[in-house]
């Protein structure tokens, strides 16, 4: 890996890894500060997110989050970001508190110089039903004139008719457009996914979390066959996966067991790299190893004869190096020593 600008490549630091080099992972949907919580086992399935969010069992489960969040919000975020980093993730979407002095990895909702992508116009909405007419008009106009680069919205998180109807609500508010990224979309049918394809909207999918909560997941084969770009993301630890590498194994199981291996190994890797960058409309900055883009790079140890399969099957023990904008943030000591950051790093 040469870490230098193209013009200065003769002065680059050369690091021989003998590993598989790929873009670092992009988590397009998470609730970062909630990831201090363990797995929640409700013991039953729900119809939609409003049902489990009002369940007394869930309210009891999340009390530690409520208590810790009063004074330790930034520590909760840093803990979760660190866990994401050591699993190869350098960009994440879903940090509810951006007042911490400095995040460890790039937060896609906080577009500023520290993020190196200079975008602060990604809008998000958790509950579309609570979106006021004023907000809807602003988002609709922003998407149309591209002053808003992406609108990321939770839609259809459930298996009932009201979940499907949220697609209609999104459309009626004028926010169902090209740069709309729909998180979950579990209640969507062929009609909704056809509309997504026609309008070039994107899908961000968290299979593990939806199966745990609803006993079912998004009809991704319909979305895939219609050409809807699909990104994969963990959601959060209570019902989802601990990191991106764990989440992709859920999809790999579904793909081999239920989807007739319709997704190739390369498809699976792209759902963790370039596809989430496309969904966030930051693919001109991250998601690929390409001249002019940020040097967000992940190196994984394993069988280089089958690189995509090796990546899908890998775990955190195989990660050799993680770079954010060309700077080594995590990796094996022998590789990290090549970066002039020793005073800022610690062995773990």
């Amino acid at each position: 890996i040469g870490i230098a600008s193209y013009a200065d490549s003769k002065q680059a630091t050369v690091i021989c890894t003998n590993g598989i080099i790929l873009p670092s992972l992009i988590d397009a949907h998470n609730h970062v500060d909630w990831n201090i919580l363990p797995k929640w086992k409700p013991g039953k399935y729900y119809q939609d997110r409003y049902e489990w969010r009002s369940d007394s069992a869930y309210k009891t489960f999340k009390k530690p989050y409520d208590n810790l969040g009063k004074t330790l919000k930034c520590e909760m975020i840093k803990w979760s970001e660190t866990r994401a980093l050591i699993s190869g993730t350098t960009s994440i979407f879903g940090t509810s508190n951006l007042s911490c002095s400095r995040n460890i990895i790039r937060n896609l909702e906080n577009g500023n110089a520290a993020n190196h992508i200079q975008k602060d116009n990604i809008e998000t909405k958790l509950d579309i039903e609570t979106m006021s007419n004023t907000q809807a008009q602003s988002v609709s106009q922003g998407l149309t004139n591209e002053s808003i680069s992406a609108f990321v919205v939770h839609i259809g998180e459930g298996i009932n008719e009201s979940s499907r109807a949220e697609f209609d609500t999104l459309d009626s508010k004028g926010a169902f457009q090209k740069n709309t990224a729909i998180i979950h979309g579990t209640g969507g049918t062929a009609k909704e996914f056809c509309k997504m394809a026609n309008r070039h909207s994107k899908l961000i999918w968290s299979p593990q979390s939806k199966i745990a909560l609803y006993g079912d997941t998004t009809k991704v084969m319909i979305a895939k066959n219609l050409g809807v770009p699909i990104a994969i993301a963990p959601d959060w630890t209570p019902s989802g996966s601990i990191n991106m590498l764990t989440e992709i194994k859920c999809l790999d199981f579904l793909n081999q067991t239920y989807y007739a291996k319709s997704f190739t190994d390369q498809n699976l890797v792209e759902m963790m790299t370039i596809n989430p960058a496309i969904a966030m409309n930051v693919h001109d900055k991250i998601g690929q190893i390409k001249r002019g883009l940020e040097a967000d790079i992940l190196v994984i140890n394993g069988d280089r004869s089958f690189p995509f399969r090796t990546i899908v099957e890998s775990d955190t023990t195989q990660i050799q190096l993680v770079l954010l904008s060309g700077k080594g943030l995590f990796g094996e000591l022998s590789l990290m020593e090549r970066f002039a950051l020793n005073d800022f790093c610690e062995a773990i």
Side-chain angles (χ1 to χ4, degrees), residues 82-322:
T82 302
R83 186 157 62 183
L85 172 66
I86 66 174
S87 65
T89 298
T90 56
S91 294
I92 201 164
F93 185 86
T95 302
S96 61
N97 187 317
L98 299 176
S99 63
C100 299
S101 59
R102 181 181 182 275
N103 289 32
I104 297 169
I105 61 178
R106 181 182 292 111
N107 182 274
L108 294 174
E109 287 144 303
N110 185 21
N112 54 36
N115 273 345
H116 296 274
I117 58 174
Q118 299 291 346
K119 286 190 176 182
D120 57 0
N121 54 350
I122 298 177
E123 298 286 337
T124 186
K125 189 67 178 175
L126 182 60
D127 297 326
I128 192 66
E129 301 292 347
T130 64
M131 190 176 191
S132 68
N133 291 334
T134 301
Q135 289 175 316
Q137 185 177 13
S138 175
V139 169
S140 179
Q141 290 177 348
L143 287 170
T144 301
N145 62 29
E146 298 185 351
S147 61
I148 293 177
S149 58
F151 179 51
V152 186
V153 57
H154 288 65
I155 287 292
E157 190 182 343
I159 56 175
N160 51 13
E161 169 56 23
S162 61
S163 297
R164 189 216 58 78
E166 288 187 344
F167 286 85
D168 299 334
T169 302
L170 178 69
D171 198 8
S172 68
K173 292 180 181 292
F176 202 155
Q177 297 190 34
K178 174 183 176 181
N179 289 323
T180 299
I182 291 176
I183 294 175
H184 301 311
T186 314
T189 66
K191 176 183 176 182
E192 284 70 43
F193 290 120
C194 187
K195 187 174 291 185
M196 287 184 68
N198 290 335
R199 300 187 183 183
H200 305 286
S201 300
K202 289 79 177 178
L203 176 66
I204 301 170
W205 178 38
S206 300
Q208 179 63 61
S209 181
K210 301 313 102 183
I211 291 171
L213 292 171
Y214 313 118
D216 200 356
T217 190
T218 309
K219 299 174 181 63
V220 290
M221 288 308 302
I222 297 176
K224 177 184 184 299
N225 292 335
L226 288 170
V228 176
I230 303 171
I232 194 170
D235 195 350
W236 62 343
T237 56
S239 60
S241 297
I242 197 170
N243 57 43
M244 294 285 287
L245 292 177
T246 304
E247 186 70 15
I248 202 64
K249 289 170 181 58
C250 175
L251 171 51
D252 188 39
F253 171 79
L254 294 174
N255 188 42
Q256 296 192 44
T257 308
Y258 299 105
Y259 302 152
K261 299 183 180 180
S262 297
F263 296 100
T264 67
D265 291 338
Q266 182 172 343
N267 291 154
L268 301 187
V269 174
E270 289 173 346
M271 291 165 79
M272 301 188 290
T273 53
I274 183 59
N275 286 12
I278 291 171
M280 299 282 109
N281 198 14
V282 291
H283 53 290
D284 60 332
K285 300 292 184 180
I286 58 176
Q288 302 176 79
I289 300 178
K290 184 178 179 181
R291 182 180 177 184
L293 273 65
E294 294 296 318
D296 291 2
I297 296 173
L298 170 61
V299 184
I300 289 179
N301 183 37
D303 187 353
R304 292 183 292 168
S305 301
F306 303 95
F308 295 113
R309 173 52 28 186
T310 299
I311 294 166
V312 171
E313 294 181 347
S314 66
D315 58 35
T316 54
T317 65
Q318 293 169 249
I319 290 180
Q320 293 181 275
L321 190 63
V322 183

Side-chain angles (χ1 to χ4, degrees), residues 71 219 341:
T71 56
K219 299 174 181 63
L341 297 173

